[in-house]
Amino acid sequence: RRLLEVVSDVMDMSKLESGALVLDKRALLLGEVLEIALENTRPLFDAKHQPVDVRLEANLPEVNGDYKRLRQLFTNLLSNASKFTAEKGRILVMAKAVKDGSVTVAIADTGVGMTHEQIVMAMKPFAQVQGHLARTQEGTGLGLPLAMGIVKLHGGSLYLDSQPGAGTTAIVTLPRE
């Protein structure tokens, strides 16, 4: 299963870099996509006894997006939140509508955090940040670059707010259209 995930990530990164990744966009309820991503990552949180606080604003607007790719995006971000947060650390998932019709999703953790330089490194394909938890974790170094590519294809933005020892917040903004 792990090998299949690695091969899939490498293929997706290759498609992104070559411009061959095509989205299958349709109207989606982002709350439903987030719930599926949370279900996919629940075993990670449970194994490390990490409580997850989910705060999804009622009546989030639909977004025009690719279900598979948005699920992949949020699963990657949630997996990272668990992976780089110690046992019994906390995860917060929030989603809200913005006045311009877009939707913002924030995934915050109480993990190891990163410096600005480490964030820049983590956004490069196959790069992995050296640090306390980083080298003890499996990974290809493709999760964040894939996430960034998927967000950009949707016309959105991904921002990481992080401080060493204080955790990381990944903030995704997706336009309605």
Side-chain angles (χ1 to χ4, degrees):
R1 190 185 75 126
R2 179 73 189 128
L3 181 59
L4 183 59
E5 289 172 1
V6 170
V7 170
S8 180
D9 284 352
V10 170
M11 295 293 291
D12 287 345
M13 195 71 225
S14 175
K15 288 177 188 175
L16 264 174
E17 289 181 337
S18 69
L21 187 65
V22 179
L23 298 179
D24 179 20
K25 287 186 169 183
R26 60 182 172 267
L28 300 171
L29 293 173
L30 203 53
E32 290 178 8
V33 177
L34 283 165
E35 290 294 339
I36 296 298
L38 283 159
E39 282 180 34
N40 291 343
T41 52
R42 178 72 51 204
L44 300 174
F45 300 125
D46 290 346
K48 292 177 78 175
H49 308 287
Q50 296 167 327
V52 181
D53 183 8
V54 180
R55 300 178 191 174
L56 305 183
E57 188 176 83
N59 302 317
L60 286 172
E62 288 184 338
V63 295
N64 189 25
D66 183 312
Y67 172 80
K68 176 183 174 185
R69 297 304 173 183
L70 290 177
R71 186 187 72 224
Q72 179 182 20
L73 159 72
F74 293 117
T75 298
N76 280 348
L77 294 177
L78 288 163
S79 295
N80 278 353
S82 176
K83 189 185 302 186
F84 298 107
T85 298
E87 189 160 333
K88 298 184 182 176
R90 294 181 322 277
I91 313 294
L92 172 63
V93 179
M94 297 180 294
K96 67 178 185 173
V98 182
K99 288 181 183 180
D100 67 3
S102 62
V103 178
T104 296
V105 177
I107 299 171
D109 64 57
T110 58
V112 295
M114 297 181 281
T115 65
H116 174 73
E117 293 77 18
Q118 289 172 320
I119 291 172
V120 171
M121 175 66 73
M123 295 307 259
K124 295 179 182 176
F126 301 105
Q128 293 183 329
V129 175
Q130 301 294 320
H132 170 62
L133 286 177
R135 297 312 317 152
T136 64
Q137 302 300 318
E138 289 184 2
T140 58
L142 291 175
L144 285 175
L146 277 171
M148 179 62 83
I150 291 167
V151 168
K152 284 184 177 179
L153 281 176
H154 282 86
S157 64
L158 169 62
Y159 173 75
L160 297 179
D161 182 21
S162 188
Q163 295 294 319
T168 300
T169 302
I171 302 165
V172 175
T173 302
L174 294 169
R176 190 170 192 166
E177 296 297 323

